Coordinates of all heavy atoms in Angstrom, one line a residue:
M86 N 169.1 -119.3 17.6 CA 167.7 -119.2 17.3 C 167.3 -120.3 16.3 O 168.0 -120.6 15.4 CB 167.5 -117.8 16.6 CG 166.0 -117.5 16.5 SD 165.8 -115.9 15.7 CE 166.2 -114.8 17.0
N87 N 166.2 -120.9 16.5 CA 165.7 -122.0 15.6 C 165.1 -121.3 14.4 O 164.2 -120.6 14.4 CB 164.6 -122.8 16.4 CG 164.1 -123.9 15.5 OD1 164.4 -124.0 14.3 ND2 163.4 -124.8 16.1
P88 N 165.7 -121.6 13.2 CA 165.3 -121.0 12.0 C 163.8 -121.4 11.6 O 163.2 -120.6 10.9 CB 166.2 -121.5 10.9 CG 167.0 -122.6 11.5 CD 166.9 -122.5 13.0
N89 N 163.3 -122.5 12.1 CA 161.9 -122.8 11.8 C 161.0 -121.9 12.5 O 159.8 -121.8 12.2 CB 161.7 -124.3 12.3 CG 162.5 -125.2 11.5 OD1 162.7 -125.0 10.3 ND2 162.9 -126.3 12.1
N90 N 161.4 -121.1 13.5 CA 160.6 -120.2 14.3 C 160.6 -118.8 13.7 O 159.9 -117.9 14.3 CB 160.9 -120.2 15.7 CG 160.5 -121.5 16.4 OD1 159.6 -122.2 16.0 ND2 161.2 -121.8 17.5
M91 N 161.4 -118.6 12.7 CA 161.6 -117.2 12.2 C 160.3 -116.5 11.9 O 160.1 -115.4 12.2 CB 162.5 -117.2 11.0 CG 164.0 -117.5 11.3 SD 164.7 -116.2 12.3 CE 165.0 -114.9 11.1
E92 N 159.4 -117.2 11.2 CA 158.2 -116.5 10.8 C 157.3 -116.1 11.9 O 156.5 -115.1 11.8 CB 157.4 -117.4 9.8 CG 158.0 -117.4 8.4 CD 157.3 -118.3 7.4 OE1 156.1 -118.3 7.5 OE2 158.0 -119.1 6.7
T93 N 157.3 -116.8 13.0 CA 156.4 -116.5 14.1 C 157.1 -115.6 15.1 O 156.5 -115.1 16.0 CB 155.9 -117.8 14.8 OG1 157.0 -118.6 15.1 CG2 154.9 -118.5 13.9
T94 N 158.4 -115.4 15.0 CA 159.1 -114.6 15.9 C 159.1 -113.1 15.5 O 159.4 -112.8 14.4 CB 160.6 -115.1 16.0 OG1 160.6 -116.5 16.4 CG2 161.4 -114.3 17.1
S95 N 158.8 -112.3 16.4 CA 158.8 -110.9 16.1 C 160.2 -110.4 15.8 O 161.2 -110.9 16.3 CB 158.3 -110.1 17.4 OG 158.7 -108.7 17.3
F96 N 160.2 -109.5 14.8 CA 161.5 -108.9 14.4 C 162.2 -108.3 15.6 O 163.4 -108.3 15.6 CB 161.2 -107.8 13.3 CG 162.4 -107.2 12.7 CD1 163.1 -107.8 11.7 CD2 162.8 -105.9 13.2 CE1 164.3 -107.2 11.2 CE2 163.9 -105.4 12.7 CZ 164.7 -106.0 11.7
W97 N 161.5 -107.7 16.5 CA 162.1 -107.0 17.6 C 162.2 -107.8 18.9 O 162.7 -107.3 19.9 CB 161.2 -105.8 17.9 CG 161.1 -104.9 16.7 CD1 160.0 -104.8 15.8 CD2 162.1 -103.9 16.2 NE1 160.3 -103.9 14.9 CE2 161.5 -103.3 15.1 CE3 163.3 -103.6 16.7 CZ2 162.3 -102.4 14.4 CZ3 164.0 -102.6 15.9 CH2 163.5 -102.1 14.8
Q98 N 161.8 -109.1 18.8 CA 161.9 -109.9 20.0 C 163.4 -110.0 20.5 O 164.3 -110.2 19.7 CB 161.4 -111.3 19.7 CG 161.3 -112.1 21.0 CD 160.2 -113.2 20.9 OE1 159.7 -113.4 19.8 NE2 159.9 -113.8 22.0
G99 N 163.5 -109.7 21.8 CA 164.8 -109.8 22.4 C 165.7 -108.5 22.2 O 166.8 -108.4 22.8
E100 N 165.2 -107.6 21.4 CA 165.9 -106.3 21.3 C 165.6 -105.4 22.4 O 164.5 -105.4 23.0 CB 165.4 -105.6 20.0 CG 165.7 -106.4 18.7 CD 167.2 -106.5 18.4 OE1 168.0 -105.6 18.8 OE2 167.6 -107.5 17.8
T101 N 166.6 -104.6 22.8 CA 166.4 -103.6 23.9 C 166.6 -102.2 23.4 O 167.4 -102.0 22.4 CB 167.3 -103.9 25.0 OG1 168.7 -104.0 24.6 CG2 166.9 -105.2 25.7
C102 N 166.0 -101.3 24.1 CA 166.1 -99.8 23.7 C 167.6 -99.3 23.9 O 168.2 -99.6 24.9 CB 165.2 -99.0 24.6 SG 165.3 -97.3 24.3
E103 N 168.1 -98.6 22.9 CA 169.4 -98.1 23.0 C 169.6 -96.9 23.9 O 170.7 -96.6 24.3 CB 170.0 -97.8 21.6 CG 169.3 -96.6 20.9 CD 169.9 -96.4 19.5 OE1 169.5 -97.1 18.6 OE2 170.8 -95.5 19.5
Y104 N 168.5 -96.4 24.3 CA 168.5 -95.2 25.2 C 168.3 -95.6 26.7 O 169.0 -95.1 27.6 CB 167.4 -94.2 24.8 CG 167.6 -93.6 23.5 CD1 166.8 -94.1 22.4 CD2 168.6 -92.7 23.2 CE1 167.0 -93.6 21.1 CE2 168.8 -92.2 22.0 CZ 168.0 -92.6 20.9 OH 168.2 -92.1 19.7
C105 N 167.3 -96.5 27.0 CA 167.1 -96.8 28.4 C 167.2 -98.3 28.7 O 167.1 -98.7 29.8 CB 165.6 -96.3 28.7 SG 164.3 -97.3 28.0
G106 N 167.4 -99.1 27.6 CA 167.6 -100.5 27.9 C 166.3 -101.3 28.1 O 166.3 -102.5 28.4
G107 N 165.1 -100.6 27.9 CA 163.8 -101.2 28.0 C 163.6 -102.2 26.9 O 164.3 -102.3 25.9
Q108 N 162.5 -103.0 27.1 CA 162.2 -104.1 26.1 C 161.5 -103.4 24.9 O 160.6 -102.5 25.1 CB 161.3 -105.1 26.8 CG 161.2 -106.4 26.0 CD 160.3 -107.4 26.6 OE1 159.9 -107.2 27.7 NE2 160.0 -108.4 25.8
I109 N 161.8 -103.9 23.7 CA 161.1 -103.4 22.6 C 160.0 -104.3 22.1 O 160.2 -105.5 22.0 CB 162.1 -103.1 21.4 CG1 163.1 -102.0 21.8 CG2 161.4 -102.8 20.1 CD1 164.2 -101.7 20.9
I110 N 158.8 -103.7 22.0 CA 157.7 -104.5 21.6 C 157.2 -104.1 20.2 O 157.2 -102.9 19.9 CB 156.5 -104.2 22.6 CG1 157.0 -104.7 24.0 CG2 155.2 -104.9 22.2 CD1 156.2 -104.1 25.1
E111 N 156.8 -105.1 19.4 CA 156.3 -104.7 18.0 C 154.9 -104.2 18.1 O 154.0 -104.8 18.7 CB 156.4 -106.0 17.2 CG 156.1 -105.6 15.7 CD 156.5 -106.6 14.7 OE1 157.5 -107.2 14.9 OE2 155.7 -106.8 13.8
K112 N 154.7 -103.0 17.5 CA 153.4 -102.4 17.4 C 153.2 -101.9 16.0 O 154.1 -101.7 15.2 CB 153.3 -101.3 18.4 CG 153.2 -101.7 19.8 CD 152.9 -100.5 20.7 CE 152.8 -101.0 22.2 NZ 152.6 -99.9 23.1
R113 N 151.9 -101.6 15.7 CA 151.6 -100.9 14.5 C 151.3 -99.5 14.8 O 150.5 -99.2 15.7 CB 150.3 -101.5 13.8 CG 150.5 -103.0 13.4 CD 151.2 -103.0 12.1 NE 151.6 -104.4 11.8 CZ 151.8 -104.9 10.6 NH1 151.6 -104.1 9.6 NH2 152.2 -106.1 10.4
V114 N 152.0 -98.6 14.2 CA 151.9 -97.2 14.6 C 151.5 -96.3 13.3 O 151.6 -96.8 12.2 CB 153.2 -96.6 15.1 CG1 153.6 -97.4 16.4 CG2 154.3 -96.6 14.1
T115 N 151.1 -95.1 13.6 CA 150.8 -94.2 12.5 C 151.9 -93.1 12.5 O 152.2 -92.5 13.5 CB 149.4 -93.5 12.8 OG1 148.4 -94.5 12.8 CG2 149.1 -92.5 11.6
L116 N 152.4 -92.9 11.3 CA 153.5 -91.9 11.2 C 153.0 -90.7 10.5 O 152.1 -90.7 9.6 CB 154.6 -92.5 10.3 CG 155.6 -93.5 10.8 CD1 156.7 -93.8 9.8 CD2 156.3 -92.9 12.0
H117 N 153.5 -89.6 10.9 CA 153.2 -88.3 10.3 C 154.5 -87.8 9.5 O 155.6 -87.9 10.0 CB 152.9 -87.2 11.3 CG 151.8 -87.6 12.2 ND1 150.6 -86.9 12.3 CD2 151.7 -88.6 13.1 CE1 149.8 -87.4 13.2 NE2 150.4 -88.5 13.7
R118 N 154.2 -87.5 8.3 CA 155.4 -87.0 7.5 C 154.9 -85.7 6.8 O 153.7 -85.6 6.4 CB 155.8 -88.0 6.4 CG 156.7 -89.1 7.0 CD 158.0 -88.6 7.5 NE 158.9 -89.7 8.0 CZ 159.7 -90.3 7.3 NH1 159.9 -90.1 6.1 NH2 160.4 -91.3 7.9
K119 N 155.8 -84.8 6.6 CA 155.5 -83.6 5.8 C 156.1 -83.8 4.4 O 157.3 -83.9 4.3 CB 156.0 -82.3 6.5 CG 155.3 -81.1 5.9 CD 155.7 -79.9 6.7 CE 155.0 -78.6 6.2 NZ 155.4 -77.4 6.9
V120 N 155.3 -83.8 3.4 CA 155.8 -84.0 2.0 C 155.3 -82.9 1.2 O 154.1 -82.7 1.0 CB 155.3 -85.4 1.5 CG1 155.9 -85.6 0.1 CG2 155.7 -86.5 2.4
K121 N 156.2 -82.2 0.6 CA 155.9 -81.0 -0.3 C 154.9 -80.1 0.4 O 153.9 -79.7 -0.2 CB 155.3 -81.5 -1.6 CG 156.4 -82.3 -2.4 CD 155.7 -83.0 -3.6 CE 156.7 -84.0 -4.3 NZ 156.0 -84.9 -5.1
G122 N 155.1 -79.8 1.6 CA 154.2 -78.9 2.4 C 152.9 -79.4 2.8 O 152.1 -78.8 3.4
E123 N 152.7 -80.7 2.6 CA 151.4 -81.3 3.0 C 151.7 -82.4 4.0 O 152.7 -83.2 3.9 CB 150.7 -82.0 1.8 CG 149.6 -81.2 1.2 CD 148.9 -82.1 0.2 OE1 148.1 -82.9 0.6 OE2 149.2 -81.8 -1.0
Y124 N 150.9 -82.5 5.1 CA 151.1 -83.6 6.0 C 150.5 -84.9 5.5 O 149.4 -84.8 5.0 CB 150.5 -83.2 7.3 CG 151.4 -82.3 8.1 CD1 151.0 -80.9 8.2 CD2 152.5 -82.8 8.8 CE1 151.9 -80.1 8.9 CE2 153.3 -81.9 9.5 CZ 153.0 -80.6 9.6 OH 153.8 -79.7 10.3
V125 N 151.2 -85.9 5.6 CA 150.6 -87.2 5.2 C 150.7 -88.1 6.4 O 151.6 -88.0 7.2 CB 151.3 -87.8 4.0 CG1 151.2 -86.9 2.8 CG2 152.8 -88.1 4.3
L126 N 149.8 -89.0 6.5 CA 149.8 -90.0 7.5 C 150.1 -91.4 6.9 O 149.5 -91.7 5.8 CB 148.4 -90.1 8.2 CG 147.9 -88.9 9.0 CD1 146.6 -89.2 9.6 CD2 148.9 -88.4 10.0
I127 N 150.9 -92.1 7.5 CA 151.1 -93.5 7.0 C 150.7 -94.4 8.2 O 151.3 -94.4 9.3 CB 152.6 -93.8 6.7 CG1 153.1 -92.7 5.7 CG2 152.8 -95.1 6.1 CD1 154.1 -91.7 6.2
E128 N 149.6 -95.2 7.9 CA 149.0 -96.0 8.9 C 149.6 -97.4 8.9 O 150.1 -97.9 7.9 CB 147.5 -96.0 8.7 CG 146.8 -94.7 8.9 CD 145.3 -94.8 8.7 OE1 144.9 -95.4 7.7 OE2 144.6 -94.3 9.5
N129 N 149.5 -98.0 10.1 CA 149.7 -99.5 10.2 C 151.2 -99.8 9.9 O 151.5 -100.8 9.3 CB 148.9 -100.2 9.2 CG 147.9 -101.1 9.9 OD1 147.9 -101.2 11.1 ND2 147.1 -101.9 9.2
V130 N 152.1 -98.9 10.3 CA 153.5 -99.1 10.1 C 154.0 -100.0 11.2 O 153.9 -99.7 12.4 CB 154.3 -97.8 10.1 CG1 155.8 -98.1 9.8 CG2 153.7 -96.9 9.0
P131 N 154.6 -101.1 10.8 CA 155.2 -102.0 11.8 C 156.5 -101.3 12.4 O 157.4 -100.9 11.7 CB 155.6 -103.3 11.1 CG 155.7 -102.9 9.6 CD 154.8 -101.7 9.5
A132 N 156.4 -101.2 13.8 CA 157.6 -100.5 14.4 C 157.9 -101.3 15.7 O 157.0 -102.0 16.2 CB 157.2 -99.1 14.8
G133 N 159.1 -101.1 16.2 CA 159.4 -101.5 17.5 C 159.3 -100.4 18.5 O 159.9 -99.3 18.2
V134 N 158.5 -100.5 19.5 CA 158.3 -99.4 20.5 C 158.8 -99.8 21.8 O 158.5 -100.9 22.3 CB 156.8 -99.1 20.6 CG1 156.6 -97.9 21.5 CG2 156.3 -98.7 19.2
C135 N 159.7 -99.0 22.4 CA 160.3 -99.3 23.7 C 159.1 -99.2 24.8 O 158.4 -98.3 24.8 CB 161.3 -98.3 24.1 SG 161.9 -98.4 25.7
A136 N 159.1 -100.3 25.6 CA 158.0 -100.4 26.6 C 158.3 -99.3 27.7 O 157.4 -99.0 28.4 CB 158.0 -101.8 27.2
E137 N 159.5 -98.9 27.9 CA 159.8 -98.0 29.0 C 159.7 -96.5 28.5 O 159.0 -95.7 29.2 CB 161.3 -98.2 29.4 CG 161.5 -99.6 29.9 CD 160.8 -99.9 31.2 OE1 160.6 -99.0 32.0 OE2 160.4 -101.1 31.4
C138 N 160.4 -96.1 27.5 CA 160.4 -94.7 27.1 C 159.6 -94.3 25.9 O 159.5 -93.2 25.5 CB 161.8 -94.2 27.0 SG 162.7 -94.8 25.5
G139 N 159.1 -95.4 25.2 CA 158.3 -95.1 24.0 C 159.0 -94.8 22.7 O 158.4 -94.4 21.7
T140 N 160.4 -94.8 22.7 CA 161.1 -94.6 21.5 C 160.7 -95.6 20.5 O 160.6 -96.8 20.7 CB 162.6 -94.7 21.8 OG1 163.0 -93.8 22.8 CG2 163.5 -94.5 20.6
R141 N 160.6 -95.1 19.2 CA 160.2 -96.0 18.1 C 161.4 -96.3 17.3 O 162.2 -95.5 17.0 CB 159.1 -95.2 17.2 CG 157.8 -95.0 17.9 CD 157.0 -94.0 17.0 NE 155.7 -93.9 17.4 CZ 154.7 -93.3 16.7 NH1 155.1 -92.8 15.6 NH2 153.5 -93.2 17.2
Y142 N 161.4 -97.5 16.9 CA 162.4 -98.0 16.0 C 161.8 -98.6 14.7 O 160.8 -99.2 14.8 CB 163.3 -99.1 16.7 CG 164.0 -98.6 17.9 CD1 163.4 -98.7 19.1 CD2 165.3 -98.1 17.8 CE1 164.1 -98.2 20.3 CE2 166.0 -97.7 18.9 CZ 165.4 -97.7 20.1 OH 166.0 -97.3 21.2
F143 N 162.4 -98.4 13.6 CA 161.9 -98.9 12.4 C 163.0 -99.7 11.6 O 164.1 -99.3 11.6 CB 161.4 -97.7 11.5 CG 160.3 -97.0 12.1 CD1 160.6 -95.8 12.8 CD2 159.0 -97.4 12.0 CE1 159.5 -95.1 13.4 CE2 158.0 -96.7 12.6 CZ 158.2 -95.5 13.3
A144 N 162.5 -100.8 11.1 CA 163.5 -101.6 10.3 C 163.8 -100.8 9.0 O 163.0 -100.1 8.5 CB 162.8 -102.9 10.0
A145 N 165.0 -101.0 8.5 CA 165.5 -100.3 7.3 C 164.5 -100.5 6.1 O 164.2 -99.6 5.4 CB 166.9 -100.7 7.0
N146 N 164.1 -101.7 6.0 CA 163.2 -102.0 4.8 C 161.8 -101.3 5.0 O 161.2 -100.9 4.0 CB 163.0 -103.5 4.5 CG 162.3 -104.2 5.7 OD1 162.5 -103.8 6.8 ND2 161.6 -105.2 5.4
V147 N 161.4 -101.1 6.2 CA 160.1 -100.4 6.5 C 160.3 -99.0 6.1 O 159.4 -98.4 5.4 CB 159.7 -100.6 7.9 CG1 158.6 -99.7 8.3 CG2 159.4 -102.1 8.2
L148 N 161.4 -98.4 6.5 CA 161.7 -97.0 6.2 C 161.7 -96.8 4.7 O 161.2 -95.8 4.2 CB 163.0 -96.5 6.9 CG 162.9 -96.3 8.4 CD1 164.3 -96.0 8.8 CD2 161.9 -95.3 8.8
K149 N 162.4 -97.7 4.0 CA 162.5 -97.6 2.6 C 161.1 -97.6 1.9 O 160.8 -96.8 1.0 CB 163.3 -98.7 2.1 CG 163.7 -98.7 0.6 CD 164.8 -99.6 0.3 CE 165.1 -99.7 -1.2 NZ 164.2 -100.6 -1.9
T150 N 160.2 -98.5 2.4 CA 158.9 -98.6 1.8 C 158.1 -97.4 2.1 O 157.4 -96.9 1.2 CB 158.2 -99.8 2.5 OG1 158.9 -101.0 2.3 CG2 156.8 -100.0 1.9
I151 N 158.3 -96.7 3.3 CA 157.6 -95.5 3.6 C 158.1 -94.4 2.6 O 157.3 -93.7 2.0 CB 157.9 -95.1 5.1 CG1 157.2 -96.1 6.0 CG2 157.5 -93.6 5.3 CD1 157.7 -95.9 7.4
E152 N 159.4 -94.3 2.4 CA 159.9 -93.2 1.6 C 159.3 -93.4 0.2 O 158.9 -92.4 -0.5 CB 161.4 -93.3 1.5 CG 162.1 -92.9 2.8 CD 161.6 -91.5 3.4 OE1 161.4 -90.6 2.5 OE2 161.4 -91.4 4.5
E153 N 159.3 -94.6 -0.3 CA 158.8 -94.9 -1.7 C 157.3 -94.5 -1.8 O 156.8 -94.1 -2.8 CB 159.0 -96.3 -2.0 CG 160.5 -96.6 -2.4 CD 160.8 -98.1 -2.5 OE1 159.9 -98.9 -2.2 OE2 162.0 -98.4 -2.8
S154 N 156.6 -94.8 -0.7 CA 155.1 -94.6 -0.7 C 154.8 -93.1 -0.7 O 154.0 -92.6 -1.5 CB 154.5 -95.2 0.6 OG 154.6 -96.6 0.5
V155 N 155.6 -92.3 0.1 CA 155.2 -90.9 0.2 C 155.7 -90.0 -0.9 O 155.1 -89.0 -1.3 CB 155.7 -90.3 1.6 CG1 155.0 -91.0 2.7 CG2 157.2 -90.3 1.7
R156 N 156.8 -90.4 -1.5 CA 157.4 -89.5 -2.6 C 157.3 -90.2 -3.9 O 157.6 -89.5 -4.9 CB 158.8 -89.1 -2.2 CG 159.8 -90.1 -2.3 CD 161.2 -89.5 -2.1 NE 161.4 -88.9 -0.8 CZ 162.6 -88.8 -0.3 NH1 163.7 -89.2 -1.0 NH2 162.7 -88.3 0.9
G157 N 157.0 -91.4 -4.0 CA 156.9 -92.1 -5.3 C 155.6 -91.9 -6.0 O 154.8 -91.0 -5.7
R158 N 155.3 -92.8 -6.9 CA 154.1 -92.6 -7.7 C 152.9 -93.2 -7.0 O 151.8 -93.0 -7.5 CB 154.3 -93.4 -9.0 CG 155.6 -93.0 -9.8 CD 156.2 -94.3 -10.4 NE 157.6 -94.2 -10.2 CZ 158.4 -95.3 -10.4 NH1 157.8 -96.5 -10.6 NH2 159.7 -95.2 -10.2
K159 N 153.1 -93.9 -6.0 CA 152.0 -94.6 -5.3 C 150.9 -93.6 -4.9 O 151.2 -92.7 -4.2 CB 152.5 -95.4 -4.1 CG 151.4 -96.4 -3.6 CD 151.9 -97.0 -2.3 CE 150.7 -97.8 -1.7 NZ 150.7 -97.9 -0.3
Q160 N 149.7 -93.9 -5.4 CA 148.6 -93.0 -5.0 C 148.2 -93.3 -3.6 O 148.2 -94.5 -3.1 CB 147.4 -93.4 -5.9 CG 146.3 -92.4 -6.0 CD 146.7 -91.1 -6.8 OE1 147.6 -91.1 -7.5 NE2 145.9 -90.1 -6.6
A161 N 147.8 -92.3 -2.9 CA 147.4 -92.5 -1.5 C 146.1 -93.3 -1.5 O 145.2 -93.2 -2.3 CB 147.1 -91.1 -0.8
D162 N 146.0 -94.2 -0.5 CA 144.8 -95.0 -0.4 C 143.6 -94.2 -0.1 O 142.5 -94.5 -0.6 CB 145.0 -96.1 0.7 CG 146.1 -97.0 0.3 OD1 146.2 -97.4 -0.8 OD2 146.9 -97.5 1.2
R163 N 143.7 -93.2 0.7 CA 142.7 -92.2 1.0 C 143.3 -91.0 1.6 O 144.4 -91.0 2.1 CB 141.6 -92.8 1.9 CG 142.1 -93.2 3.3 CD 141.1 -94.0 4.0 NE 141.6 -94.6 5.2 CZ 141.7 -94.0 6.4 NH1 141.2 -92.8 6.5 NH2 142.2 -94.6 7.4
K164 N 142.5 -89.9 1.5 CA 143.1 -88.6 2.1 C 142.4 -88.2 3.3 O 141.2 -88.4 3.5 CB 142.9 -87.5 1.0 CG 144.0 -87.5 0.0 CD 144.1 -86.1 -0.7 CE 145.4 -86.0 -1.5 NZ 145.5 -84.6 -2.0
V165 N 143.2 -87.8 4.3 CA 142.6 -87.3 5.5 C 143.0 -85.8 5.7 O 144.2 -85.5 5.5 CB 143.2 -88.1 6.7 CG1 142.6 -87.6 8.0 CG2 142.8 -89.6 6.5
V166 N 142.1 -85.0 6.0 CA 142.4 -83.6 6.2 C 142.9 -83.4 7.6 O 142.1 -83.8 8.5 CB 141.2 -82.7 5.8 CG1 141.6 -81.2 6.1 CG2 140.8 -82.9 4.4
V167 N 144.1 -82.9 7.8 CA 144.6 -82.7 9.1 C 144.4 -81.3 9.5 O 145.0 -80.4 8.9 CB 146.1 -83.1 9.2 CG1 146.6 -83.0 10.6 CG2 146.2 -84.5 8.7
P168 N 143.7 -81.0 10.5 CA 143.5 -79.6 11.0 C 144.8 -79.1 11.6 O 145.5 -79.8 12.4 CB 142.4 -79.6 12.0 CG 142.3 -81.0 12.4 CD 142.9 -81.9 11.4
V169 N 145.2 -77.9 11.2 CA 146.5 -77.3 11.8 C 146.1 -76.0 12.5 O 145.4 -75.2 11.9 CB 147.5 -77.1 10.6 CG1 148.8 -76.4 11.2 CG2 147.8 -78.3 9.9
Y170 N 146.6 -75.9 13.7 CA 146.3 -74.7 14.5 C 147.5 -73.9 14.7 O 148.6 -74.5 15.1 CB 145.7 -75.1 15.8 CG 144.4 -75.9 15.8 CD1 144.4 -77.3 15.7 CD2 143.2 -75.2 15.7 CE1 143.2 -78.0 15.6 CE2 142.0 -75.9 15.6 CZ 142.0 -77.3 15.6 OH 140.9 -78.0 15.5
A171 N 147.5 -72.7 14.5 CA 148.6 -71.8 14.8 C 148.5 -71.4 16.2 O 147.4 -71.2 16.7 CB 148.6 -70.6 13.9
F172 N 149.6 -71.3 16.9 CA 149.6 -70.9 18.3 C 149.3 -69.5 18.4 O 149.8 -68.6 17.7 CB 151.0 -71.2 18.9 CG 151.1 -71.0 20.4 CD1 150.5 -71.8 21.2 CD2 151.7 -69.8 20.8 CE1 150.5 -71.6 22.6 CE2 151.8 -69.6 22.2 CZ 151.2 -70.5 23.1
Ligands
ZN403 ZN1 163.6 -96.9 25.9

């Protein structure tokens, strides 16, 4: 790999899904997490998504940032009320 191209190359480029072998495409996704009994959404999370089966992959540093955001001191950017329906 040409190191000069690192910045423009997707983190997931050339990676394949460990379940189905499909191509992984970088996307921004919204994550749902339950924190202290409350659902939180984390928007715009960079993820690798399998084009075949839809399995999501997250880089370790992305996961770390998410954990720090949801349980750390960071104030939520805005709050969204999520309706919950009991079956
Ligand atoms: Zn797959």
